């Protein structure tokens, strides 16, 4: 009987342990690095690791930079929730014999907030600000016509009033083009498989004058110094490490109409696994313009997610074969946080 009771307790313990959901919510810093970049990618629910082929590849999968034909610039403006603004800009240059080099900047502005204290709960009249940015240099190259590799090195800075934290990180990515599910039989129109690891690097530790505080080392001792300068020793924060694996296919591929379907699986270090899915329908007038309609869903199977449906569209106007500019727009829902709009301009020359 005692033996059966022991087995029962072990089984009950294992069952309860399996029911506990373990994630890393609130354990990383510089979480602006998780925000989707580019209207095209965001409209497709962030299912872009196998689709990336422009300047935004530096964020999604640096191997996609290898598909830039000449030179390209990109600017993105994303008015985020509660007055927060996100700006992304970059330039990429393709060197036919060596690959593609890109320089990008991702900036997050949290705006100004009133300084409040216990004695002045309505504000002291002062304001503080917070901002974060990441500057990166990226490189992508085709090793063979069906395989490309890319890497990024980035400097990350986080600022809160008079405090600052810095870190270095690296991204790695690969992109494989196959002839699977190619409706034309050509490899470049078949399934693409992409994989990337983002934000593998050092930890953030905040430091600055706001951490200085006067202390009395021996409050019970009369006549000692009671205003010794002390310094809070803050903890270190990991960066939001993200592993992405995805694929994309084109079930419709004609001279004037193309349909792209993609899916990404995400494994972050600060949340549970999830899946992003997206589609893009392209209408083509050869040599003149392209019209894009995009849709997707972000955070599929993610518990308590505020993500959801994403929509968008875009226009590409050709000036020559590799000379064009894009205007793209995204609308996405953020649950109780409201809705977000995103605008992107891209010029290839």
């Amino acid at each position: 009987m005692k033996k059966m009771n022991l087995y029962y307790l072990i089984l009950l313990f294992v069952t309860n342990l399996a029911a506990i959901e373990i994630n890393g919510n609130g354990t990383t810093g510089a979480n602006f690095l998780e925000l989707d970049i580019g209207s095209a990618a965001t409209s497709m629910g962030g299912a872009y690791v196998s689709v990336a082929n422009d300047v935004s590849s530096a964020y999604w999968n640096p191997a996609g930079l290898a598909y830039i034909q000449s030179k390209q610039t990109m600017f993105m403006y994303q008015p985020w929730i509660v007055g927060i603004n996100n700006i992304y800009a970059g330039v990429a240059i393709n060197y036919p014999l060596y690959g593609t080099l890109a320089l990008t900047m991702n900036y997050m502005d949290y705006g100004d907030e009133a300084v409040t204290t216990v004695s002045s709960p309505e504000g002291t009249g002062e304001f503080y600000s917070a901002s974060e940015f990441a500057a990166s240099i990226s490189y992508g190259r085709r090793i063979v016509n069906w395989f490309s590799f890319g890497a990024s090195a980035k400097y990350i800075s986080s600022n809160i009033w008079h405090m600052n934290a810095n870190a270095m990180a690296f991204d790695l990515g690969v992109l494989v083009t196959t002839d699977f599910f190619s409706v034309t039989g050509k490899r470049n129109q078949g399934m693409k498989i992409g994989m990337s690891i983002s934000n593998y690097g050092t930890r953030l530790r905040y430091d600055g004058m706001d951490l200085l505080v006067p202390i009395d080392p021996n409050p019970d001792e009369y006549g000692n110094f009671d205003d010794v300068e002390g310094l809070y020793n803050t903890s270190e924060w990991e960066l939001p490490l993200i592993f992405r694996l995805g694929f994309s296919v084109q079930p419709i591929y004609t001279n004037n109409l193309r349909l792209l379907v993609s899916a990404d699986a995400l494994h972050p270090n600060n949340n549970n696994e999830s899946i992003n899915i997206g589609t893009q329908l392209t209408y083509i007038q050869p040599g003149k313009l392209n019209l894009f309609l995009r849709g997707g869903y972000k955070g599929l199977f993610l518990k308590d997610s505020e993500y959801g449906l994403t929509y968008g569209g875009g226009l590409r106007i050709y000036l020559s074969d590799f000379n064009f500019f894009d205007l793209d727009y995204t609308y996405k829902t953020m649950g109780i946080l409201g809705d977000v709009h995103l605008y992107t301009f891209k010029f290839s020359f």
Side-chain angles (χ1 to χ4, degrees):
M1 181 64 68
K2 291 183 178 179
K3 193 173 183 178
M4 291 183 61
N5 289 337
L6 179 60
Y7 286 154
Y8 174 76
L9 290 174
I10 294 174
L11 179 62
L12 183 63
F13 173 77
V14 172
T15 302
N16 289 334
L17 183 63
I20 298 174
E21 183 176 351
I22 301 174
N23 57 46
N25 292 162
T27 61
T28 59
N31 292 308
F32 78 104
L33 297 171
E34 298 180 90
L35 296 184
D36 293 348
I37 294 299
S39 294
T42 307
S43 297
M44 296 177 64
Y48 214 67
V49 71
S50 65
V51 182
N53 60 2
D54 57 12
V55 178
S56 70
S57 300
Y59 172 84
W60 295 99
N61 182 355
L65 292 170
Y67 289 86
I68 294 177
Q69 300 292 332
S70 53
K71 304 179 184 69
Q72 196 174 97
T73 61
M74 174 180 168
F75 178 82
M76 180 203 76
Y77 174 61
Q78 182 173 196
W80 196 243
I81 58 176
V82 296
I84 300 172
N85 293 309
N86 182 211
I87 295 174
Y88 183 91
V91 58
I93 302 175
N94 174 260
Y95 299 94
L97 298 179
Y98 306 104
T100 302
L101 185 68
L103 299 174
T104 60
M105 171 71 77
N106 188 4
Y107 177 74
M108 178 70 76
D109 180 15
Y110 296 97
D112 296 328
E113 295 289 338
V115 177
T116 60
T117 64
V118 175
S119 58
S120 302
E122 300 300 323
T124 63
E126 291 182 284
F127 289 85
Y128 75 92
S129 60
S131 64
E132 295 179 300
F133 75 89
S136 67
I137 179 170
S138 306
Y139 174 77
R141 182 180 181 181
R142 291 193 193 187
I143 307 301
V144 290
N145 63 353
W146 55 270
F147 178 83
S148 62
F149 169 83
S152 297
K154 65 180 72 171
Y155 172 78
I156 302 158
S157 179
S158 179
N159 304 277
I160 305 175
W161 207 6
H162 304 120
M163 295 189 301
N164 176 265
N166 304 306
M168 294 292 297
F170 297 92
D171 301 346
L172 298 173
V174 296
L175 194 57
V176 179
T177 302
T178 74
D179 55 6
F180 298 140
F181 305 108
S182 174
V183 296
T184 64
K186 296 181 179 180
R187 178 184 289 272
N188 64 343
Q189 294 156 15
M191 174 186 286
K192 291 185 177 180
I193 302 171
M195 181 185 71
S196 69
I197 299 175
S198 302
N199 309 319
Y200 179 78
T202 61
R203 298 187 178 193
L204 291 165
R205 181 193 291 274
Y206 285 93
D207 191 13
M209 62 180 295
D210 290 336
L211 297 175
L212 296 174
V213 58
I215 61 174
D216 186 351
N218 298 298
D220 298 327
E221 182 177 334
Y222 178 76
N224 71 320
F225 294 101
D226 59 357
D227 283 323
V228 177
E229 191 174 77
L231 178 68
Y232 285 114
N233 186 21
T234 59
S235 299
E236 293 183 332
W237 296 83
E238 291 185 351
L239 297 176
L241 183 67
I242 307 173
F243 173 77
R244 295 184 178 93
L245 175 64
F247 72 92
S248 58
V249 293
Q250 299 183 80
I252 299 176
Y253 194 99
T254 67
N255 289 334
N256 299 106
L257 193 66
R258 295 172 189 176
L259 176 65
L260 175 69
V261 180
S262 62
D264 284 8
L266 278 68
H267 176 75
N269 67 340
N270 60 4
N271 211 331
N272 299 116
E273 290 79 7
S274 63
I275 293 177
N276 299 335
I277 55 176
T279 59
Q280 175 179 269
L281 182 65
T282 306
Y283 172 74
I284 302 172
Q285 286 190 355
K288 295 182 179 179
L289 60 85
N290 293 357
L291 293 175
F292 304 97
L293 289 177
R294 305 181 179 102
Y297 193 95
K298 181 177 177 63
L300 196 64
F301 306 124
L302 184 62
K303 184 179 180 181
D304 300 325
S305 171
E306 295 300 331
Y307 298 116
L309 294 172
T310 57
Y311 315 90
L315 171 68
R316 171 173 295 179
I317 299 178
Y318 281 93
L319 304 178
S320 64
D321 289 344
F322 301 116
N323 191 355
F324 59 84
F325 65 87
D326 292 357
L327 294 173
D328 295 297
Y329 166 78
T330 295
Y331 169 86
K332 62 180 179 180
T333 58
M334 290 290 294
I336 62 174
L337 299 177
D339 302 327
V340 174
H341 305 270
L342 195 154
Y343 313 90
T344 303
F345 171 80
K346 183 170 60 183
F347 181 53
S348 184
F349 55 97

